[in-house]
Amino acid sequence: GAVVSQHPSRVICKSGTSVKIECRSLDFQATTMFWYRQFPKQSLMLMATSNEGSKATYEQGVEKDKFLINHASLTLSTLTVTSAHPEDSSFYICSVAYTEAFFGQGTRLTVV
Amino acid sequence: RKEVEQDPGPFNVPEGATVAFNCTYSNSASQSFFWYRQDCRKEPKLLMSVYSSGNEDGRFTAQLNRASQYISLLIRDSKLSDSATYLCVVGYGGSQGNLIFGKGTKLSVKP
């Protein structure tokens, strides 16, 4: 199955700064990757679909100018949380669709 | 509105017990169905896909009832290592990435 590597696994940043999260498909060329967010005791919620070489598709209620997605190659998608605020603190996780959905290890973001 | 609903639990059971989880989904256009397992602060991992004919994998049995829009997971002879949150997941469209997750059912297996 596909191996997905996500980095960093944990980050603490100050309010107002930006944070970049990387998602790499190590053994599978992924034209599409997916970004999810999970708040404590809540379900995973799809934020956006990342498309290689084109603009990402955002789910309703997700600000595209705040959550910048870049999918410049078939093995790398990045999510940048811009001007982070404490309410952005969450567990962010990416996935690649292959025979099933394979997930990265997730990034726990804490904004202080 | 797309929704997947599960009893959040927790289910606290002794080792060796049989436990059943249920899940309902609201959109009849759903095309694929899964149970994922998520350990605390970890990424979800596929436990099994769910088919209309029902499927079994060792101690785990999954059932799908499309008419009732209902999915179940049965775990027999529970092990301590089964302790986790079990996520009912429904897929839309042809992509395995367009998934709607339930909030999960927490299982705790005690010695």
Side-chain angles (χ1 to χ4, degrees), chain A residues 54-103:
Chain A
S54 65
K55 292 182 179 180
T57 303
Y58 290 82
E59 295 298 302
Q60 190 173 5
V62 178
E63 300 175 57
K64 60 182 177 64
D65 294 328
K66 180 171 180 63
F67 299 97
L68 302 179
I69 291 174
N70 185 289
H71 193 156
S73 77
L74 289 172
T75 59
L76 174 64
S77 175
T78 62
L79 168 68
T80 301
V81 183
T82 62
S83 186
H85 291 283
E87 57 265 31
D88 297 324
S89 298
S90 187
F91 185 61
Y92 293 85
I93 192 164
C94 66
S95 77
V96 166
Y98 189 43
T99 52
E100 63 190 66
F102 290 92
F103 289 87

Side-chain angles (χ1 to χ4, degrees), chain B residues 54-97:
Chain B
N55 48 304
E56 184 175 314
D57 182 2
R59 298 182 293 109
F60 300 85
T61 301
Q63 295 275 357
L64 167 65
N65 185 320
R66 283 186 180 269
S68 303
Q69 297 181 194
Y70 171 94
I71 307 163
S72 66
L73 176 68
L74 183 74
I75 305 175
R76 292 180 298 277
D77 189 22
S78 299
K79 310 292 185 189
L80 296 177
S81 57
D82 293 335
S83 297
T85 296
Y86 290 83
L87 307 174
C88 179
V89 183
V90 172
Y92 295 85
S95 169
Q96 295 289 1

Side-chain angles (χ1 to χ4, degrees), chain B:
Chain B
R1 181 182 176 188
K2 301 174 183 176
E3 281 188 347
V4 178
E5 296 190 25
Q6 297 179 249
D7 180 345
F11 283 61
N12 298 308
V13 303
E15 270 188 292
T18 296
V19 61
F21 303 141
N22 303 316
C23 166
T24 58
Y25 60 96
S26 59
N27 193 322
S28 59
S30 306
Q31 297 180 326
S32 52
F33 309 88
F34 311 91
W35 284 100
Y36 275 75
R37 169 187 171 140
Q38 187 176 24
D39 292 288
C40 187
R41 295 176 177 265
K42 299 286 187 181
E43 75 276 20
K45 293 188 177 179
L46 181 67
L47 180 65
M48 58 198 306
S49 300
V50 188
Y51 306 111
S52 297
S53 55
N55 48 304
E56 184 175 314
D57 182 2
R59 298 182 293 109
F60 300 85
T61 301
Q63 295 275 357
L64 167 65
N65 185 320
R66 283 186 180 269
S68 303
Q69 297 181 194
Y70 171 94
I71 307 163
S72 66
L73 176 68
L74 183 74
I75 305 175
R76 292 180 298 277
D77 189 22
S78 299
K79 310 292 185 189
L80 296 177
S81 57
D82 293 335
S83 297
T85 296
Y86 290 83
L87 307 174
C88 179
V89 183
V90 172
Y92 295 85
S95 169
Q96 295 289 1
N98 191 5
L99 303 173
I100 306 297
F101 286 78
K103 291 186 178 181
T105 298
K106 187 172 182 179
L107 172 65
S108 181
V109 182
K110 307 292 186 182

Side-chain angles (χ1 to χ4, degrees), chain A residues 3 23 33 60 84 101 112:
Chain A
V3 177
C23 179
M33 292 186 182
Q60 190 173 5
V112 297

